[in-house]
Amino acid sequence: MSIRFLRNAGSSAQPYKKIKLHNKILGETMTSRLARMCVLLCTLPAANALAGTIPPNQDVATTLASPPTLIDVPPLKAAAQRLDQHGIRIDLNYVDDFIANPGSGIIENQTGNLGLFGINADFNLEKIIGLKGATIHEATTVYGLRSNSHMLTNQGSMLGTINYLKYHSPVVLNMLTYEQKIGRLDFEVGRSNVLRYFWRQNCDNPFNCEPALMAGDTPLMPLRYASWSGLARYQVTRAWYLQAGGFEDNAYNLNTNGLHFSTNHSTGTLGVGEFGYTTTFKTAAFPAHYEFGLWGDTTPHTNPYLSALGRPVQIYTKDPKASEPDPIGMFAEGRQVVWVGARQHAVGAQPKNIALTWGLFAPLNGGQNFDLEAWLGGIFTGVIPGRPYDHFGFRVHYLQLGSDFAHSETVARILAGGNADPQPRNEYSFEVSYDIHLAPGVMLAPTAQYLINQDTYYFPKTRIAPRNGFVVSAFLVISLDHMLGLPAPRL
């Protein structure tokens, strides 16, 4: 299952760029703004609350005109406006995720559901205490309507959806940071997650777009939970930017939902740096977003599959472990509008357009679980007559398992009493999705994926080889603040 919410940042300058699914980036860096713009104008407000990122397909928002609202509650709007005047802006979003795997995975024909309620806030310290360029950001997710929470462990790591909650508490902390803007420089420190700033999910349906290689080859799991971090960003021009950040490796977050502030369980640091380019329909005829970067991790690594004697660890459990160098890798992602049609008259709608998306992730000194991940896709926005806000897309997704990882899955299956057929190293997913604008602030996003050669990353001791087949899901996204006509995000 998966879910995500969009959040809004503090005050800001001009529209520059965005970064990952829940939109809280640097308290109003270009990224934040675009995300918010999309949240209110394009009714895709809840793209990634857990990840702290922004929905990619909404980056090309074109106008700041206020969209229509679904419900008019004057007292509530008046109260929200008063809070905004004093520097406090609150965003409320709900996402419900239903998923089913007819005829695929390890255990077939299962369904599951997960609901997420996002409570996000920005505190503009310039308005509150006169501290210019300063903002405090908060993002929290509350889980509910859970059914068959562990269903996705039956599917392989190719399925890019948000992991179910493990810890008994339904509350997850995604962000609690302090941001300071000084001219073109932007600094942010506190509790946050790497998906808020890097590896922007540029698929049509961002709920299915988390890089599996980063989730599997770094000790950050789950990627969306908050840990201690810091980030610096420099806006070179209106389009070009540089940014770098460090994030605490603390797998204990999986047991505390990011609410454990101690560093007692820290094992190292993930460092990420990138340079990127972003334009929108306000600044370019054919908007684009590109990001290129490197990552490295300092947590001590050992080979989880082969011992120092080169034997399978599942069988030779007493063999000494084989140490491995600290992993480093590269990544590159892009989204380029390649065709633009007529402008649409609907408030806040983009021109009709078609965009190509792509991504590439690869370790540079050998991967532990995956050696390569790549995808290519397309997004069609506003091309259906009478549906200016709708968009649909497709994606072909490829993931190559590391040789040790693939061999270990074969050995584990044999030990569990299964067949000796080798685990394929090459996995594929063919995806189609359609985001339907139902009403102001309400969006439904059905998605279908056909998975080939799935691994058993989340279910390593099964004797059953996963079956090829479909996984279907539907995400209902409700931007409560947008529906009620509350103040739009600061742009």
Side-chain angles (χ1 to χ4, degrees):
M1 308 280 230
S2 356
I3 304 4
R4 312 182 184 192
F5 299 83
L6 252 188
R7 67 150 239 113
N8 305 313
S11 59
S12 79
Q14 314 150 326
Y16 281 107
K17 112 142 198 164
K18 142 303 136 143
I19 162 157
K20 272 202 106 228
L21 268 203
H22 304 234
N23 20 332
K24 309 204 145 219
I25 171 178
L26 312 178
E28 283 274 38
T29 66
M30 278 339 350
T31 278
S32 270
R33 310 167 160 195
L34 290 180
R36 307 169 178 216
M37 199 185 298
C38 312
V39 174
L40 302 175
L41 300 184
C42 303
T43 72
L44 235 177
N48 266 9
L50 282 182
T53 59
I54 300 160
N57 41 315
Q58 296 311 115
D59 289 339
V60 288
T62 60
T63 171
L64 303 183
S66 298
T69 58
L70 188 63
I71 304 172
D72 189 12
V73 186
L76 185 58
K77 292 201 298 188
Q81 290 170 353
R82 284 195 296 272
L83 283 175
D84 183 46
Q85 291 171 359
H86 290 86
I88 301 174
R89 189 160 285 188
I90 298 173
D91 306 307
L92 306 174
N93 299 283
Y94 176 77
V95 177
D96 190 86
D97 172 19
F98 172 83
I99 192 167
N101 66 329
S104 71
I106 297 171
I107 303 176
E108 303 177 49
N109 297 312
Q110 288 198 313
T111 62
N113 194 84
L114 181 61
L116 294 173
F117 180 61
I119 307 170
N120 311 304
D122 292 307
F123 302 89
N124 185 336
L125 298 185
E126 183 172 358
K127 288 186 176 181
I128 297 174
I129 60 174
L131 186 57
K132 186 176 181 180
T135 307
I136 291 177
H137 304 290
E138 173 278 332
T140 301
T141 303
V142 180
Y143 285 68
L145 298 179
R146 284 185 284 168
S147 172
N148 197 6
S149 297
H150 300 290
M151 177 201 150
L152 288 191
T153 60
N154 301 308
Q155 305 295 142
S157 52
M158 173 70 83
L159 191 65
T161 54
I162 294 181
N163 298 317
Y164 270 108
L165 192 67
K166 175 183 177 181
Y167 187 48
H168 67 276
S169 171
V171 179
V172 170
L173 177 65
N174 308 116
M175 181 188 330
L176 182 59
T177 62
Y178 171 83
E179 178 189 18
Q180 181 65 58
K181 298 174 68 68
I182 306 173
R184 296 186 180 185
L185 281 173
D186 214 324
F187 302 95
E188 189 169 356
V189 295
R191 302 281 294 177
S192 190
N193 62 82
V194 67
L195 290 185
R196 179 169 178 249
Y197 314 100
F198 300 96
W199 314 326
R200 155 208 211 137
Q201 291 143 341
N202 63 358
C203 311
D204 174 58
N205 189 334
F207 305 104
N208 294 327
C209 200
E210 178 181 312
L213 187 146
M214 296 310 308
D217 279 357
T218 62
L220 284 170
M221 289 291 285
L223 294 176
R224 299 172 189 81
Y225 290 9
S227 64
W228 292 111
S229 62
L231 181 124
R233 175 188 176 93
Y234 181 70
Q235 200 70 43
V236 181
T237 67
R238 283 179 63 88
W240 289 97
Y241 68 92
L242 295 169
Q243 66 178 12
F247 304 86
E248 172 198 20
D249 290 340
N250 194 333
Y252 192 68
N253 278 338
L254 183 62
N255 301 308
T256 65
N257 299 351
L259 294 169
H260 181 74
F261 282 40
S262 170
T263 59
N264 293 340
H265 299 275
S266 299
T267 56
T269 301
L270 172 72
V272 188
E274 74 170 26
F275 68 94
Y277 172 88
T278 295
T279 55
T280 73
F281 276 117
K282 292 180 66 66
T283 59
F286 294 88
H289 171 78
Y290 298 101
E291 59 182 70
F292 307 90
L294 299 172
W295 60 271
D297 197 273
T298 65
T299 293
H301 284 69
T302 58
N303 190 318
Y305 309 115
L306 295 179
S307 71
L309 303 179
R311 302 188 296 189
V313 297
Q314 300 105 314
I315 300 175
Y316 300 95
T317 57
K318 296 183 179 180
D319 277 8
K321 294 184 177 182
S323 297
E324 294 188 337
D326 294 342
I328 58 174
M330 60 78 64
F331 61 93
E333 291 188 303
R335 179 177 184 274
Q336 174 68 63
V337 172
V338 295
W339 174 85
V340 177
R343 290 190 173 272
Q344 304 186 89
H345 299 297
V347 176
Q350 305 172 15
K352 296 179 180 180
N353 70 88
I354 298 175
L356 295 181
T357 66
W358 55 272
L360 177 67
F361 291 77
L364 297 179
N365 61 346
Q368 284 196 320
N369 298 303
F370 308 110
D371 287 345
L372 180 68
E373 180 174 18
W375 66 81
L376 177 66
I379 300 174
F380 301 77
T381 301
V383 296
I384 300 178
R387 307 296 304 173
Y389 301 107
D390 292 2
H391 49 89
F392 64 92
F394 70 91
R395 183 172 71 138
V396 179
H397 189 185
Y398 170 74
L399 184 64
Q400 183 181 69
L401 276 59
S403 57
D404 291 349
F405 175 36
H407 180 65
S408 75
E409 291 206 344
T410 304
V411 171
R413 186 159 54 246
I414 295 172
L415 292 176
N419 62 52
D421 294 342
Q423 168 66 39
R425 290 187 60 194
N426 299 312
E427 297 188 23
Y428 304 90
S429 172
F430 301 90
E431 309 169 11
V432 292
S433 59
Y434 179 32
D435 291 2
I436 309 167
H437 176 271
L438 300 177
V442 183
M443 185 268 290
L444 180 66
T447 297
Q449 300 169 274
Y450 188 83
L451 305 176
I452 299 176
N453 295 339
Q454 296 185 67
D455 58 75
T456 57
Y457 182 84
Y458 295 106
F459 207 157
K461 295 184 180 181
T462 179
R463 65 180 181 83
I464 302 173
R467 299 166 182 80
N468 298 340
F470 282 99
V471 172
V472 294
S473 57
F475 302 87
L476 176 65
V477 181
I478 301 175
S479 176
L480 300 174
D481 43 16
H482 183 187
M483 289 176 60
L484 297 172
L486 303 184
R490 303 181 184 92
L491 300 174

